[in-house]
Amino acid sequence: DTAVSQTPKYLVTQMGNDKSIKCEQNLGHDTMYWYKQDSKKFLKIMFSYNNKELIINETVPNRFSPKSPDKAHLNLHINSLELGDSAVYFCASSQDAGSLYGYTFGSGTRLTVV
Amino acid sequence: DQQVKQNSPSLSVQEGRISILNCDYTNSMFDYFLWYKKYPAEGPTFLISISSIKDKNEDGRFTVFLNKSAKHLSLHIVPSQPGDSAVYFCAASYTDNFNKFYFGSGTKLNVKP
């Protein structure tokens, strides 16, 4: 029973398209995140939601819009995709916003923009 | 500007020997550190943590050492096993900001049988 699940695992799309990545956690955690793993392999936080409320919004192009319909779901919508958006996107959750036990990550969505 | 750096992209170790993975950070405010382990096609999984009030934390075969003055931490795996072959990420955060961790770029460990 997957704790943090992301769909799709792979996404290949053309420049200019709009796409969404979905994330769901069944751990009962209050906080969810989107991280981007860039070409240099660094994991960088993009957004964080705590109980459906946005608490972290890093310097990310406004083409990226997160949506949290409830605390178990955090989706990422990307408009007007660009080549530089190609990366692996990881969803994660933690018990609360100040959890010292780190995150539970999903398995990632590899986005390729052609 | 990467505040957490793992300067060795890869490390190869013989089974049974010690693996030492290193991590350096630049932000002196960091006071909490985590190590994650990642297998291919999976998300990172939490391995071990250390707070800045300690200089060592041990969990079975895994020990993390923290040298605050050098802004350096290391993960020791003894003895190394083939199943330890994975990418290891270190991450850092600071008090009142634990919802935001800064990650290194990872070190790929290969444990040879």
Side-chain angles (χ1 to χ4, degrees):
Chain A
D1 206 15
T2 307
V4 179
S5 59
Q6 297 178 226
T7 53
K9 284 190 181 299
Y10 301 95
L11 184 53
V12 181
T13 188
Q14 290 188 325
M15 283 175 56
N17 284 351
D18 303 339
K19 289 293 178 187
S20 292
I21 307 171
K22 295 186 176 181
C23 180
E24 176 181 1
Q25 55 96 2
N26 62 6
L27 297 166
H29 287 170
D30 286 341
T31 309
M32 296 185 72
Y33 310 81
W34 277 109
Y35 270 79
K36 178 181 179 180
Q37 186 177 31
D38 61 22
S39 57
K40 295 182 179 177
K41 305 300 181 185
F42 288 99
L43 276 160
K44 294 181 181 177
I45 192 165
M46 300 173 69
F47 303 103
S48 175
Y49 271 76
N50 186 54
N51 265 321
K52 302 192 296 175
E53 182 182 343
L54 181 66
I55 56 172
I56 290 178
N57 185 356
E58 288 296 285
T59 308
V60 175
N62 57 15
R63 298 182 294 104
F64 289 78
S65 53
K67 283 188 173 50
S68 182
D70 54 62
K71 74 173 193 178
H73 295 84
L74 180 61
N75 304 322
L76 183 65
H77 189 76
I78 315 170
N79 289 329
S80 304
L81 278 155
E82 299 178 357
L83 292 176
D85 298 332
S86 296
V88 182
Y89 293 84
F90 287 96
C91 176
S93 70
S94 64
Q95 195 153 358
D96 52 49
S99 175
L100 296 181
Y101 300 102
Y103 311 136
T104 301
F105 280 91
S107 57
T109 296
R110 183 175 293 276
L111 171 65
T112 303
V113 182
V114 297
Chain B
D1 180 28
Q2 302 303 328
Q3 300 185 56
V4 178
K5 297 178 183 178
Q6 294 175 257
N7 293 317
S8 298
S10 64
L11 175 68
S12 188
V13 170
Q14 202 67 39
E15 180 180 5
R17 307 293 284 267
I18 184 172
S19 295
I20 300 177
L21 296 100
N22 295 304
C23 179
D24 297 294
Y25 60 96
T26 57
N27 190 338
S28 57
M29 289 182 65
F30 288 150
D31 56 9
Y32 193 72
F33 305 88
L34 305 173
W35 283 94
Y36 283 85
K37 177 179 180 179
K38 183 184 179 305
Y39 292 118
E42 295 183 13
T45 55
F46 170 74
L47 189 59
I48 193 170
S49 65
I50 189 166
S51 161
S52 62
I53 61 173
K54 294 184 173 183
D55 52 19
K56 176 183 174 181
N57 189 25
E58 194 171 350
D59 183 2
R61 296 185 298 111
F62 301 89
T63 303
V64 56
F65 295 92
L66 175 62
N67 182 334
K68 291 184 286 293
S69 60
K71 297 194 183 70
H72 177 84
L73 65 156
S74 60
L75 175 68
H76 293 210
I77 307 173
V78 185
S80 301
Q81 298 173 355
D84 296 329
S85 297
V87 177
Y88 290 80
F89 290 94
C90 80
S93 187
Y94 55 90
T95 304
D96 296 329
N97 198 45
F98 288 142
N99 56 335
K100 184 175 177 181
F101 277 89
Y102 297 83
F103 284 79
S105 54
T107 297
K108 185 174 183 180
L109 174 66
N110 179 33
V111 180
K112 296 178 286 187

mmCIF file of all heavy atoms in Angstrom, chain B residues 81-103:
data_model
loop_
_atom_site.group_PDB
_atom_site.id
_atom_site.type_symbol
_atom_site.label_atom_id
_atom_site.label_comp_id
_atom_site.label_asym_id
_atom_site.label_seq_id
_atom_site.Cartn_x
_atom_site.Cartn_y
_atom_site.Cartn_z
ATOM 1 N N GLN B 81 27.195 -3.384 2.788
ATOM 2 C CA GLN B 81 26.580 -4.549 2.160
ATOM 3 C C GLN B 81 26.129 -4.169 0.743
ATOM 4 O O GLN B 81 25.817 -2.991 0.494
ATOM 5 C CB GLN B 81 25.359 -5.011 2.974
ATOM 6 C CG GLN B 81 25.684 -5.439 4.380
ATOM 7 C CD GLN B 81 24.446 -5.725 5.208
ATOM 8 O OE1 GLN B 81 23.323 -5.519 4.767
ATOM 9 N NE2 GLN B 81 24.666 -6.219 6.425
ATOM 10 N N PRO B 82 26.057 -5.143 -0.155
ATOM 11 C CA PRO B 82 25.625 -4.826 -1.532
ATOM 12 C C PRO B 82 24.271 -4.100 -1.584
ATOM 13 O O PRO B 82 24.049 -3.239 -2.433
ATOM 14 C CB PRO B 82 25.565 -6.198 -2.207
ATOM 15 C CG PRO B 82 26.591 -7.005 -1.480
ATOM 16 C CD PRO B 82 26.508 -6.544 -0.042
ATOM 17 N N GLY B 83 23.381 -4.432 -0.656
ATOM 18 C CA GLY B 83 22.080 -3.770 -0.615
ATOM 19 C C GLY B 83 22.146 -2.303 -0.231
ATOM 20 O O GLY B 83 21.158 -1.575 -0.355
ATOM 21 N N ASP B 84 23.318 -1.866 0.225
ATOM 22 C CA ASP B 84 23.496 -0.438 0.547
ATOM 23 C C ASP B 84 23.760 0.387 -0.711
ATOM 24 O O ASP B 84 23.785 1.617 -0.646
ATOM 25 C CB ASP B 84 24.669 -0.253 1.512
ATOM 26 C CG ASP B 84 24.437 -0.909 2.861
ATOM 27 O OD1 ASP B 84 23.284 -0.986 3.298
ATOM 28 O OD2 ASP B 84 25.445 -1.360 3.472
ATOM 29 N N SER B 85 23.983 -0.269 -1.828
ATOM 30 C CA SER B 85 24.252 0.441 -3.082
ATOM 31 C C SER B 85 23.037 1.295 -3.445
ATOM 32 O O SER B 85 21.933 0.772 -3.672
ATOM 33 C CB SER B 85 24.562 -0.552 -4.210
ATOM 34 O OG SER B 85 25.729 -1.276 -3.922
ATOM 35 N N ALA B 86 23.231 2.585 -3.472
ATOM 36 C CA ALA B 86 22.139 3.536 -3.682
ATOM 37 C C ALA B 86 22.758 4.934 -3.769
ATOM 38 O O ALA B 86 23.967 5.104 -3.618
ATOM 39 C CB ALA B 86 21.146 3.486 -2.511
ATOM 40 N N VAL B 87 21.911 5.921 -3.984
ATOM 41 C CA VAL B 87 22.357 7.319 -3.916
ATOM 42 C C VAL B 87 21.999 7.855 -2.537
ATOM 43 O O VAL B 87 20.872 7.657 -2.066
ATOM 44 C CB VAL B 87 21.704 8.187 -5.006
ATOM 45 C CG1 VAL B 87 22.125 9.651 -4.854
ATOM 46 C CG2 VAL B 87 22.076 7.672 -6.390
ATOM 47 N N TYR B 88 22.941 8.498 -1.873
ATOM 48 C CA TYR B 88 22.728 9.037 -0.548
ATOM 49 C C TYR B 88 22.729 10.569 -0.604
ATOM 50 O O TYR B 88 23.671 11.184 -1.107
ATOM 51 C CB TYR B 88 23.825 8.545 0.406
ATOM 52 C CG TYR B 88 23.685 7.075 0.706
ATOM 53 C CD1 TYR B 88 24.143 6.117 -0.206
ATOM 54 C CD2 TYR B 88 23.081 6.634 1.877
ATOM 55 C CE1 TYR B 88 23.988 4.760 0.039
ATOM 56 C CE2 TYR B 88 22.932 5.282 2.136
ATOM 57 C CZ TYR B 88 23.379 4.356 1.216
ATOM 58 O OH TYR B 88 23.223 3.013 1.472
ATOM 59 N N PHE B 89 21.661 11.138 -0.080
ATOM 60 C CA PHE B 89 21.531 12.593 -0.025
ATOM 61 C C PHE B 89 21.656 13.068 1.411
ATOM 62 O O PHE B 89 21.072 12.472 2.311
ATOM 63 C CB PHE B 89 20.152 13.042 -0.536
ATOM 64 C CG PHE B 89 19.935 12.858 -2.010
ATOM 65 C CD1 PHE B 89 19.336 11.711 -2.505
ATOM 66 C CD2 PHE B 89 20.328 13.841 -2.906
ATOM 67 C CE1 PHE B 89 19.117 11.547 -3.861
ATOM 68 C CE2 PHE B 89 20.122 13.685 -4.276
ATOM 69 C CZ PHE B 89 19.525 12.525 -4.742
ATOM 70 N N CYS B 90 22.396 14.146 1.622
ATOM 71 C CA CYS B 90 22.307 14.782 2.919
ATOM 72 C C CYS B 90 21.437 16.020 2.782
ATOM 73 O O CYS B 90 21.309 16.597 1.697
ATOM 74 C CB CYS B 90 23.683 15.095 3.518
ATOM 75 S SG CYS B 90 24.489 16.540 2.926
ATOM 76 N N ALA B 91 20.800 16.400 3.868
ATOM 77 C CA ALA B 91 19.880 17.533 3.868
ATOM 78 C C ALA B 91 20.031 18.277 5.186
ATOM 79 O O ALA B 91 20.338 17.663 6.218
ATOM 80 C CB ALA B 91 18.438 17.067 3.677
ATOM 81 N N ALA B 92 19.806 19.570 5.154
ATOM 82 C CA ALA B 92 19.983 20.389 6.351
ATOM 83 C C ALA B 92 18.845 21.382 6.495
ATOM 84 O O ALA B 92 18.256 21.822 5.502
ATOM 85 C CB ALA B 92 21.321 21.131 6.276
ATOM 86 N N SER B 93 18.579 21.723 7.750
ATOM 87 C CA SER B 93 17.566 22.737 8.024
ATOM 88 C C SER B 93 17.927 23.436 9.332
ATOM 89 O O SER B 93 18.940 23.114 9.949
ATOM 90 C CB SER B 93 16.180 22.095 8.117
ATOM 91 O OG SER B 93 15.177 23.090 8.220
ATOM 92 N N TYR B 94 17.108 24.369 9.756
ATOM 93 C CA TYR B 94 17.377 25.053 11.010
ATOM 94 C C TYR B 94 16.070 25.326 11.750
ATOM 95 O O TYR B 94 14.992 25.313 11.175
ATOM 96 C CB TYR B 94 18.182 26.336 10.799
ATOM 97 C CG TYR B 94 17.600 27.333 9.830
ATOM 98 C CD1 TYR B 94 16.735 28.333 10.251
ATOM 99 C CD2 TYR B 94 17.970 27.291 8.487
ATOM 100 C CE1 TYR B 94 16.232 29.251 9.361
ATOM 101 C CE2 TYR B 94 17.467 28.200 7.587
ATOM 102 C CZ TYR B 94 16.604 29.187 8.020
ATOM 103 O OH TYR B 94 16.102 30.093 7.126
ATOM 104 N N THR B 95 16.232 25.534 13.047
ATOM 105 C CA THR B 95 15.110 25.716 13.957
ATOM 106 C C THR B 95 14.160 26.782 13.421
ATOM 107 O O THR B 95 14.603 27.811 12.917
ATOM 108 C CB THR B 95 15.632 26.124 15.348
ATOM 109 O OG1 THR B 95 16.560 25.139 15.778
ATOM 110 C CG2 THR B 95 14.494 26.218 16.345
ATOM 111 N N ASP B 96 12.862 26.469 13.535
ATOM 112 C CA ASP B 96 11.781 27.336 13.038
ATOM 113 C C ASP B 96 11.669 27.306 11.534
ATOM 114 O O ASP B 96 10.903 28.070 10.949
ATOM 115 C CB ASP B 96 11.954 28.792 13.493
ATOM 116 C CG ASP B 96 11.866 28.929 15.006
ATOM 117 O OD1 ASP B 96 11.131 28.136 15.615
ATOM 118 O OD2 ASP B 96 12.534 29.811 15.563
ATOM 119 N N ASN B 97 12.421 26.421 10.889
ATOM 120 C CA ASN B 97 12.339 26.337 9.439
ATOM 121 C C ASN B 97 12.359 24.887 8.996
ATOM 122 O O ASN B 97 12.813 24.553 7.914
ATOM 123 C CB ASN B 97 13.502 27.090 8.798
ATOM 124 C CG ASN B 97 13.235 27.401 7.341
ATOM 125 O OD1 ASN B 97 12.158 27.843 6.966
ATOM 126 N ND2 ASN B 97 14.218 27.161 6.484
ATOM 127 N N PHE B 98 11.877 23.980 9.882
ATOM 128 C CA PHE B 98 12.014 22.558 9.590
ATOM 129 C C PHE B 98 11.097 22.086 8.472
ATOM 130 O O PHE B 98 11.142 20.930 8.086
ATOM 131 C CB PHE B 98 11.761 21.725 10.841
ATOM 132 C CG PHE B 98 12.849 21.814 11.863
ATOM 133 C CD1 PHE B 98 12.557 21.849 13.207
ATOM 134 C CD2 PHE B 98 14.183 21.863 11.480
ATOM 135 C CE1 PHE B 98 13.558 21.918 14.152
ATOM 136 C CE2 PHE B 98 15.189 21.940 12.416
ATOM 137 C CZ PHE B 98 14.870 21.967 13.763
ATOM 138 N N ASN B 99 10.236 22.962 7.979
ATOM 139 C CA ASN B 99 9.442 22.546 6.830
ATOM 140 C C ASN B 99 10.203 22.780 5.527
ATOM 141 O O ASN B 99 9.673 22.542 4.458
ATOM 142 C CB ASN B 99 8.091 23.271 6.814
ATOM 143 C CG ASN B 99 8.271 24.772 6.825
ATOM 144 O OD1 ASN B 99 9.266 25.273 7.286
ATOM 145 N ND2 ASN B 99 7.302 25.486 6.300
ATOM 146 N N LYS B 100 11.435 23.224 5.596
ATOM 147 C CA LYS B 100 12.227 23.478 4.403
ATOM 148 C C LYS B 100 13.616 22.907 4.610
ATOM 149 O O LYS B 100 14.371 23.385 5.447
ATOM 150 C CB LYS B 100 12.318 24.971 4.124
ATOM 151 C CG LYS B 100 13.057 25.314 2.845
ATOM 152 C CD LYS B 100 12.983 26.792 2.595
ATOM 153 C CE LYS B 100 13.774 27.186 1.361
ATOM 154 N NZ LYS B 100 13.707 28.639 1.130
ATOM 155 N N PHE B 101 13.918 21.880 3.863
ATOM 156 C CA PHE B 101 15.236 21.271 3.919
ATOM 157 C C PHE B 101 16.017 21.590 2.650
ATOM 158 O O PHE B 101 15.457 21.648 1.559
ATOM 159 C CB PHE B 101 15.120 19.756 4.097
ATOM 160 C CG PHE B 101 14.916 19.340 5.527
ATOM 161 C CD1 PHE B 101 13.641 19.247 6.064
ATOM 162 C CD2 PHE B 101 15.998 19.061 6.353
ATOM 163 C CE1 PHE B 101 13.444 18.886 7.386
ATOM 164 C CE2 PHE B 101 15.816 18.700 7.674
ATOM 165 C CZ PHE B 101 14.538 18.609 8.195
ATOM 166 N N TYR B 102 17.324 21.765 2.830
ATOM 167 C CA TYR B 102 18.217 22.015 1.708
ATOM 168 C C TYR B 102 18.996 20.728 1.462
ATOM 169 O O TYR B 102 19.609 20.182 2.378
ATOM 170 C CB TYR B 102 19.178 23.153 2.034
ATOM 171 C CG TYR B 102 18.489 24.467 2.268
ATOM 172 C CD1 TYR B 102 17.936 24.766 3.507
ATOM 173 C CD2 TYR B 102 18.370 25.409 1.254
ATOM 174 C CE1 TYR B 102 17.290 25.973 3.730
ATOM 175 C CE2 TYR B 102 17.725 26.621 1.470
ATOM 176 C CZ TYR B 102 17.189 26.889 2.711
ATOM 177 O OH TYR B 102 16.545 28.078 2.928
ATOM 178 N N PHE B 103 18.958 20.266 0.230
ATOM 179 C CA PHE B 103 19.561 18.990 -0.108
ATOM 180 C C PHE B 103 20.860 19.160 -0.875
ATOM 181 O O PHE B 103 21.024 20.104 -1.661
ATOM 182 C CB PHE B 103 18.612 18.166 -0.990
ATOM 183 C CG PHE B 103 17.474 17.530 -0.245
ATOM 184 C CD1 PHE B 103 16.359 18.256 0.121
ATOM 185 C CD2 PHE B 103 17.525 16.182 0.087
ATOM 186 C CE1 PHE B 103 15.295 17.666 0.812
ATOM 187 C CE2 PHE B 103 16.472 15.580 0.764
ATOM 188 C CZ PHE B 103 15.365 16.317 1.133
#
